[in-house]
Amino acid sequence: MSQHVQHDVLIIGSGAAGLTLALTLPPSLSVAVLSKGDLANGSTYWAQGGVAAVLDDTDTVESHVADTLDAGGGLCREDAVRFTVEHSREAIQWLIEQGVPFTRDDEHDREDGGFEFHLTREGGHSHRRIIHAADATGAAIFNTLLDQTRRRPNVELLEQRVAVDLITERKLGRPGQRCLGAYVLNRATGEVDTFQARFVILATGGAAKVYLYTSNPDGACGDGIAMAWRAGCRVGNLEFNQFHPTCLYHPQAKSFLVTEALRGEGATLKLPNGERFMPRFDSRAELAPRDIVARAIDHEMKRLGVDCVYLDISHKPAEFVKSHFPTVYERCLSFGIDITKEPMPVVPAAHYTCGGVVVDQRGCTDVPGLYAIGETSFTGLHGANRMASNSLLECFVYAQSAAADIVAQLDDVAMPDDLPTWDASQVTDSDEDVIIAHNWDELRRFMWDYVGIVRTNKRLQRAQHRVRLLLDEIDEFYSNYKVSRDLIELRNLAQVAELMINSAMQRRESRGLHYTLDYPDLLPEAKDTILQPPTYAD
C-alpha cells in the first residue's frame, strides 16, 4: 500500500549538498532526506582531493577568483565565483566545527601566521589552497555530516527511495507553478509513495553515468536535472562534461579515480615507452587544467593506438607516497600495482557535469519552491571547465544560502494538501528487463563515442538521432510497465543525454571542455547555452 507523507522540507539526495542543507535548517522544521541507494553511494563519499578555499595568509580571494575565471574559459559568472570564494573560509570553518578530521600540518607554527591544516595544490590553482583529509576527503566529510544528521531528531534519513517525478501545480492542472512535492519509489515495498512538502531541494548529483567510462558511482544519472526539466526549469551549459584525466585502467578497478593531487605532488604522465608527453602540450605540463590534460591523453592514446597511458610517482620516497596517498596506494596494491615502485595505468573518464539546472545565488530554480544545489545545479561558478576542488565548496556555500532563503519564507508558505496518489492502475509488471539493459548500454556507448572528449557535427547528429529513437522506446515502456529504479534512471539518463547533445550542437566553437574538430577556434564573445523546456513559455 502506497504512503502519503508530509515534511516541511524534502531533500532529494544525500551527499555533501543535501546533508549540509539538512544540518543548516532550524531544528523546528520536519526534514526528509532521500537516498536512492545506501547512504554512502553518492559522489561525495568517493571524492579524494579536497575543498578549495582561501585559508592561508599568503592567499587572497582575488587570486582564487582569478584562477577560477582563468580555468573557466571565459564563461564563469564572476558574481557567482566571487560569492562562492568569499564564503569559502566560512564554509570550511563550519566543516571544522562539525568535526571533519582534516589533515593537520605540524610544520607550520601558528604564531607565524601559518594555517594549522595541511594545504595541497591542484591543477589550475596558483596557491596551495586545498584542505583535505589525506586522500579520502569526501569520505571524511560525508561520514562526519551523516553522523551529525543522524543526531537531529527533526531529520528523517530514508534509504532505497528513488524519486520518480516532481509534483507541481501546473502538472496537476492548478493555477500557478509551485513545486508541491514528489512521487517516490520505495524499493523495499515496490510502491510509489507521495511526499508533499513546502520546499523541495534537488541535490541528486551529476550525470556522468551517461558515459561508458566514468569515475562516478552508479547513481550519477542526472535524475534531478531531468526531473527539473520536466517540471519546467531551464538548464544551462550541459555540453561541458569534465573528463578526469586519470582513472585507474584495470578490468576490476571499476570507477576508481586517481586523485589529481598526485600530479600536484610531482607525479608525471608517461607513454608506454616511458616518455613524458605533457610538456609538449602545455607549459604547465601535468598541472595544466583537466581539459587540456584529458585531451592530451586522448590524443596520445589515439595516435599510438594504445589502451592507456601511465602515471608515475615512483621517484618519490615510498613513505611520502604511502602517507600522502594511502587510499590510492592500497587500492592499486590490491590490483598488484605498487605505485612506490612502478607507474600505474590510467585513462580519462567522465567525471563532472559542469552544467545543470539554472539557479540564482540562493539555489532557486525557475519553479517556485524548488531548489537545486551541488552538481545538479548551474550556478555559473565553473564556466566551461571546473577547476579542481571548487565543486565541494559550491555544495556547502549554496546549501547554506538555500537554507537561509527557506527560513526567510517560512511564514509565507503553507503545507500543500490534496495531492493525488500515484496512479499505477494501467501498468503491468515487465518481463522485458533485457530491453532496459540493452538501451542503457547503447546510450552510454554512443555518448562515449559521439559526445566524448573530442566531437564533430556528424558525431553529434548521429547521437541526436539515436537518442530520439531511444526516448520514444523508453516513453512507451514507461507508460505501460511498473516503474523500477533501472527504468527511472534510464529515462532520466536519456533525457539528460538529449539535453547534452542539443547543447553541444548549439555551441559552434571550441571552448573549455567542449572541443569540436569542426569549430576548433573560440568565438569572440563567450555565451552560456541555456535551453528552455517546452512548458517554460506557457
Side-chain angles (χ1 to χ4, degrees):
M1 187 73 182
S2 65
Q3 293 187 310
H4 204 117
V5 293
Q6 63 180 45
H7 297 84
D8 291 309
V9 181
L10 172 63
I11 301 171
I12 304 173
S14 59
L19 293 180
T20 298
L21 181 67
L23 287 169
T24 312
L25 289 167
S28 57
L29 295 181
S30 146
V31 180
V33 179
L34 307 185
S35 174
K36 69 175 176 179
D38 297 331
L39 282 162
N41 278 0
S43 293
T44 299
Y45 184 84
W46 299 103
Q48 294 174 28
V51 189
V54 179
L55 300 166
D56 193 284
D57 289 351
T58 63
D59 198 4
T60 64
V61 166
E62 292 306 320
S63 175
H64 191 167
V65 167
D67 288 348
T68 302
L69 293 175
D70 182 53
L75 266 187
C76 295
R77 295 184 174 179
E78 188 169 349
D79 58 339
V81 176
R82 197 165 288 282
F83 174 75
T84 308
V85 174
E86 284 175 350
H87 288 85
S88 64
R89 187 162 197 146
E90 178 188 324
I92 298 301
Q93 192 56 48
W94 180 80
L95 290 170
I96 292 169
E97 287 166 8
Q98 302 308 306
V100 176
F102 290 118
T103 299
R104 293 185 175 270
D105 187 356
D106 298 328
E107 293 176 18
H108 281 107
D109 182 350
R110 298 209 70 203
E111 299 301 316
D112 295 338
F115 186 60
E116 66 181 297
F117 295 96
H118 183 264
L119 301 175
T120 190
R121 184 178 165 192
E122 294 183 351
H125 291 277
S126 58
H127 285 75
R128 283 183 172 263
R129 63 166 71 98
I130 317 299
I131 189 169
H132 61 101
D135 62 347
T137 309
I141 289 172
F142 177 81
N143 289 332
T144 303
L145 297 185
L146 182 59
D147 183 51
Q148 292 287 2
T149 307
R150 282 186 167 135
R151 297 180 189 181
R152 297 288 178 98
N154 66 308
V155 180
E156 197 174 0
L157 291 161
L158 299 167
E159 295 183 293
Q160 307 297 332
R161 301 300 205 285
V162 186
V164 182
D165 243 334
L166 298 169
I167 306 169
T168 65
E169 289 172 327
R170 175 191 273 138
K171 284 187 181 179
L172 297 179
R174 299 177 183 177
Q177 298 179 343
R178 191 170 184 86
C179 185
L180 308 171
Y183 292 117
V184 178
L185 171 67
N186 181 334
R187 295 181 68 199
T189 65
E191 299 287 343
V192 176
D193 299 327
T194 307
F195 279 72
Q196 59 190 60
R198 296 160 71 188
F199 303 93
V200 179
I201 292 85
L202 297 169
T204 57
K209 209 69 188 175
V210 77
Y211 287 105
L212 188 60
Y213 301 110
T214 171
S215 65
N216 284 203
D218 286 341
C221 298
D223 301 307
I225 298 170
M227 285 191 289
W229 174 261
R230 291 194 293 265
C233 295
R234 290 170 301 156
V235 297
N237 284 7
L238 281 172
E239 69 271 36
F240 297 112
N241 300 282
Q242 187 170 60
F243 290 81
H244 197 287
T246 54
C247 248
L248 188 63
Y249 180 72
H250 189 280
Q252 276 87 51
K254 183 184 176 189
S255 302
F256 185 68
L257 179 151
V258 178
T259 174
E260 185 164 334
L262 268 101
R263 284 178 282 132
E265 295 295 347
T268 55
L269 284 161
K270 295 180 176 178
L271 299 176
N273 67 0
E275 175 198 340
R276 248 184 106 190
F277 59 89
M278 275 313 301
R280 285 195 273 115
F281 290 89
D282 194 281
S283 60
R284 292 164 288 188
E286 280 79 7
L287 285 177
R290 287 176 178 175
D291 60 322
I292 293 170
V293 180
R295 268 203 303 279
I297 294 172
D298 186 67
H299 179 272
E300 292 299 290
M301 284 170 58
K302 287 184 168 129
R303 180 176 71 86
L304 298 171
V306 295
D307 292 330
C308 64
V309 296
Y310 294 85
L311 185 65
D312 191 3
I313 198 166
S314 63
H315 54 281
K316 288 280 191 178
E319 284 312 309
F320 173 89
V321 174
K322 290 177 189 176
S323 64
H324 278 72
F325 307 107
T327 308
V328 177
Y329 173 75
E330 292 293 341
R331 190 66 180 272
C332 287
L333 206 57
S334 72
F335 298 122
I337 304 163
D338 184 346
I339 66 171
T340 65
K341 298 176 180 173
E342 60 188 318
M344 66 199 94
V346 294
V347 290
H351 183 57
Y352 191 86
T353 309
C354 287
V357 183
V358 175
V359 297
D360 62 16
Q361 283 183 6
R362 301 163 298 161
C364 297
T365 69
D366 294 324
V367 173
L370 181 66
Y371 296 75
I373 53 177
E375 196 175 349
T376 306
S377 69
F378 165 62
T379 63
L381 170 65
H382 305 303
N385 185 16
R386 176 182 77 99
M387 193 165 66
S389 295
N390 269 351
S391 48
L392 278 172
L393 176 63
E394 181 183 44
C395 288
F396 309 125
V397 171
Y398 279 83
Q400 292 176 343
S401 182
D405 192 65
I406 288 169
V407 169
Q409 296 183 63
L410 285 176
D411 294 340
D412 303 324
V413 179
M415 181 70 71
D417 55 9
D418 298 329
L419 297 190
T421 55
W422 178 257
D423 181 11
S425 60
Q426 304 299 313
V427 299
T428 59
D429 280 314
S430 166
D431 56 358
E432 294 286 355
D433 286 347
V434 66
I435 295 174
I436 295 177
H438 177 86
N439 286 354
W440 176 279
D441 185 61
E442 183 186 348
L443 175 71
R444 297 180 68 207
R445 199 167 287 279
F446 75 64
M447 285 296 289
W448 181 261
D449 289 341
Y450 298 153
V451 200
I453 296 171
V454 177
R455 301 160 182 179
T456 66
N457 285 346
K458 185 169 277 188
R459 290 176 195 173
L460 292 174
Q461 285 161 4
R462 284 179 177 168
Q464 188 181 57
H465 177 67
R466 293 301 311 141
V467 82
R468 283 176 176 166
L469 292 175
L470 270 185
L471 281 166
D472 287 344
E473 270 185 39
I474 294 163
D475 202 40
E476 190 213 344
F477 207 86
Y478 181 80
S479 302
N480 292 302
Y481 297 109
K482 282 186 76 170
V483 292
S484 64
R485 172 172 172 168
D486 286 347
L487 176 57
I488 294 164
E489 289 186 336
L490 175 63
R491 180 183 183 227
N492 290 336
L493 267 183
Q495 179 61 78
V496 175
E498 184 186 43
L499 296 174
M500 287 177 175
I501 295 161
N502 291 347
S503 297
M505 292 181 84
Q506 284 195 23
R507 186 165 294 282
R508 294 174 175 253
E509 63 170 347
S510 288
R511 185 181 294 275
L513 300 165
H514 175 76
Y515 185 78
T516 169
L517 296 175
D518 290 309
Y519 306 103
D521 300 320
L522 281 173
L523 288 174
E525 187 181 357
K527 290 184 178 177
D528 292 323
T529 305
I530 307 294
L531 302 183
Q532 295 189 353
T535 54
Y536 187 78
D538 289 359

